[in-house]
Every structure is written in C-alpha cells, then in structure tokens.
Amino acid sequence: MRCKKCQEKAVIGLPRHNAAFCKGCFNEYVHDQVARAIKAQRMFGQKDRILVAVSGGKDSLALWDILLKLGYQADALHVDLGIPGYSATSREKVERFADAVAASRQAKLIIHVVKQEEGAGIQELANLVNRPTCSTCGTIKRYQFNRAAVERSYDVMATGHNLDDEAARLLGNVLHWQVDYLEKQGPVLPASVEGFARKVKPLYRLAEREVAAYAVLNRIDYIVEECPMAKGSKMLLYKEVLNHLESESPGTKQAFYWGFLDRQTETRPTAGSMAEKDQASLHPCTVCGQPTTADVCTYCKMMARAQAASPR
Ligand code: SF4
Ligand SMILES: [Zn+2]
Ligand SMILES: [Zn+2]
C-alpha cells in the first residue's frame, strides 16, 4: 500500500476516501480536515481563546494537540469524576500531556475535582440523588465546563466528538424521533444568551479510527479503556451497527451525518433565531446565576438533593 500523495509506504488506508497515507501526509490530512471544519462552520478565529474539554481519551487529547499545532490559543479543562480505577489514570494522562506538550506552547490545564467541589465522587452523588450515573455526570460536566468558560472569559468551548460519535447520536435521535434534539444537533452550538458558552466540535469530519491512528502515530499517551459506566450504553450499540454498515459500504457514516448537516442548513433555525428562542425561555438561576429555564438550575437542584440526602 502506497501513500496517495507522495508514494511513500502508507501507514493507514482510508477506504471511505479511497486513499492511503504515509505518516506525514496522514497528519496533514487530519490537520486539514480540522482546519476545514473550523472554517466551514465558522467555529472560531486565530485570536479567540478556546477551552478544550479533555477526558484523557484519544479524541480530546488529539483535539488539544491539533489545535495547538494549528496555532490556536487552546487551554483545557479536565473533570476528575472520582471513579475508582478509572479517574486517576485519566487524570494522569491529561496531566502528562499538559506537561509534555501543552506547557511548551503556553497552554494551561484546569482541573475540576468532583470529590472536592461537589463533595463526593460521581457514583456516590448519583446514588444520593437517585439518578443514573451518566445523567448525573452529564449535568456536572456541562455545568462546570460552561461555568469555567464563562467565568474565565473563553470565547468558545471545544469537545472531541468525532464523526462516529455524531453519526451514532444522529441514529439514536432518528430512531426515537427526538425532534428537539435533531434541531440542535450540529458541530456548532451558538452562545445563546449571556452566560452560555459557544460550543464546537472540530473533529466532526474525522472517523474514530482516524483520530485513534493520529493519537498513536503522534505518541499521544491516552487512556484506552472506556469509562466503566459506559458499558451497555445505547451509543456503543449504535456505533457497532454503524461500523458494520461502514465495513460493508465505506462512506456510510459520512454520508449519513454530513447528509443530515446539508439538509439541516436548509431548514435549521439560524443562530440568531435560536438565540431569540432561548433568550425568551432562559433566565439566571436564583442560586448560582447560570442560565436556566426553571427558577433553580438542574445542577443546583441536584446539589441541594445530594446535600439533603447525605449522611451527617
Ligand atoms: S460513561 Fe457516563 S459516567 Fe462515564 S464519563 Fe461518560 S457520562 Fe460520565
Ligand atoms: Zn505521503
Ligand atoms: Zn444554579
């Protein structure tokens, strides 16, 4: 197998593009896909300050690496969830990357420790509020990322969702006809009101195996295991189904998700009209001041329940 661009020995084949690349040309391809995503979706500019949500997995660390190499000012936030046997390793990977790569580019790592700030690890908190671990986790991560981005004046928050993640989410939303979610699903979620950070997904043009290959080829040391709480999740099932289709018919995932985005641009509400709609229903939480549709935001309600239920 030869590189499509320079005829050197290829290290990876990309059936969906009918191509193969050597390491150098593959890195160029990855950087180019991210640069295109940023430009096509007007995600941010060279002067913007970006906060990357890093878990310690391949996608978020690769994203941080790529943004820094493309010359962006990108700091990162890691949420230490306090999951025994998983969170300590994840944090270690993030810290190691920050010391080895990010520090030399003047990028900062912020760490939020759930055990310290919320008073208990994620599983214990979920038990206290009687909610599934992943939904408790989602509430905390969304809240803390948004808060960090707004309080520290970042222009935009970036996450490492790749093509596989987005195609799987789309499949789930279509299977259950989650029309509200379908309307909002996309690589850019505009800053809807003051107090809500703009969110972007610069890896949406890259498949999961491409991001994994990028991380390996560039010696990014990431946590390989999935979070133990993800076991049996519907997202993993949808990914499996899509992988099966992809292996039979390369390009299926891309056609599915990008096709959705193309059609959505014709019908999707504009950033301005979404902001207006949100502005009408959102106001500051009476406890913490972050935007919410109720008097008290989900996070503050959850924390009050946890406090009431925790043994004194
Ligand atoms: S699998 Fe669940 S608990 Fe683990 S990081 Fe994802 S949302 Fe959080
Ligand atoms: Zn090449
Ligand atoms: Zn609140």
Side-chain angles (χ1 to χ4, degrees):
M1 199 167 56
R2 294 272 142 200
C3 172
K4 190 184 171 187
K5 267 175 111 178
C6 72
Q7 305 306 316
E8 285 289 311
K9 192 169 175 277
V11 292
I12 183 168
L14 303 183
R16 76 182 166 110
H17 291 302
N18 204 9
F21 291 121
C22 69
K23 183 183 167 186
C25 295
F26 178 66
N27 277 344
E28 255 176 47
Y29 157 82
V30 168
H31 289 181
D32 181 55
Q33 289 299 320
V34 174
R36 272 200 213 189
I38 294 167
K39 196 167 164 216
Q41 301 285 334
R42 298 201 189 100
M43 291 183 177
F44 41 76
Q46 286 292 345
K47 291 211 171 98
D48 285 329
R49 292 177 66 233
I50 306 156
L51 184 65
V52 186
V54 287
S55 64
K58 61 182 184 323
D59 303 293
S60 53
L61 287 182
L63 173 61
W64 198 10
D65 183 83
I66 297 164
L67 292 180
L68 290 173
K69 285 181 180 156
L70 289 176
Y72 288 103
Q73 307 174 52
D75 291 340
L77 173 67
H78 173 71
V79 174
D80 179 337
L81 299 168
I83 298 174
Y86 175 74
S87 293
T89 318
S90 313
R91 181 169 165 175
E92 216 179 279
K93 304 283 183 195
V94 172
E95 286 177 328
R96 205 171 295 163
F97 181 86
D99 288 343
V101 182
S104 64
R105 294 174 189 258
Q106 276 81 48
K108 249 191 355 217
L109 169 66
I110 306 159
I111 295 195
H112 176 93
V113 184
V114 172
K115 252 189 191 155
Q116 265 164 31
E117 307 295 326
E118 275 82 14
I122 202 77
Q123 285 161 298
E124 205 187 320
L125 270 177
N127 288 340
L128 286 172
V129 298
N130 210 8
R131 269 176 53 183
T133 311
C134 289
S135 103
T136 311
C137 176
T139 299
I140 290 185
K141 283 198 296 199
R142 263 193 308 278
Y143 182 87
Q144 294 301 351
F145 278 123
N146 195 61
R147 189 162 107 176
V150 171
E151 284 182 0
R152 294 166 194 253
S153 307
Y154 285 96
D155 298 291
V156 61
M157 235 190 75
T159 57
H161 294 97
N162 57 43
L163 175 61
D164 294 44
D165 295 321
E166 294 305 293
R169 181 193 298 246
L170 176 60
L171 182 59
N173 285 342
V174 169
L175 287 175
H176 298 101
W177 289 119
Q178 308 261 36
V179 178
D180 276 7
Y181 291 160
L182 280 171
E183 200 178 82
K184 287 199 172 167
Q185 185 179 353
V188 175
L189 204 60
S192 41
V193 277
E194 209 181 311
F196 254 139
R198 178 177 163 79
K199 294 191 186 87
V200 297
K201 300 169 183 172
L203 300 185
Y204 81 92
R205 297 177 64 94
L206 290 165
E208 192 156 307
R209 71 179 272 276
E210 294 163 16
V211 182
Y214 179 87
V216 172
L217 289 170
N218 291 281
R219 296 172 193 268
I220 296 174
D221 181 19
Y222 62 91
I223 182 157
V224 178
E225 302 87 60
E226 290 271 357
C227 170
M229 301 298 139
K231 221 171 159 196
S233 90
K234 281 278 191 301
M235 278 303 153
L236 292 183
L237 174 66
Y238 298 151
K239 279 190 181 178
E240 228 178 276
V241 171
L242 287 165
N243 278 338
H244 187 62
L245 292 170
E246 183 77 22
S247 68
E248 293 294 320
S249 174
T252 302
K253 275 181 230 173
Q254 175 181 319
F256 181 48
Y257 184 57
W258 295 11
F260 163 73
L261 292 180
D262 286 346
R263 277 153 194 79
Q264 198 190 35
T265 29
E266 291 158 18
T267 54
R268 194 174 200 235
T270 60
S273 74
M274 273 211 269
E276 265 170 38
K277 205 167 141 191
D278 284 349
Q279 213 139 17
S281 53
L282 289 169
H283 47 258
C285 163
T286 50
V287 179
C288 72
Q290 283 224 59
T292 173
T293 47
D295 276 352
V296 177
C297 76
T298 320
Y299 173 87
C300 290
K301 269 189 213 150
M302 196 175 87
M303 293 317 296
R305 272 195 15 226
Q307 232 156 31
S310 64
R312 279 155 218 276

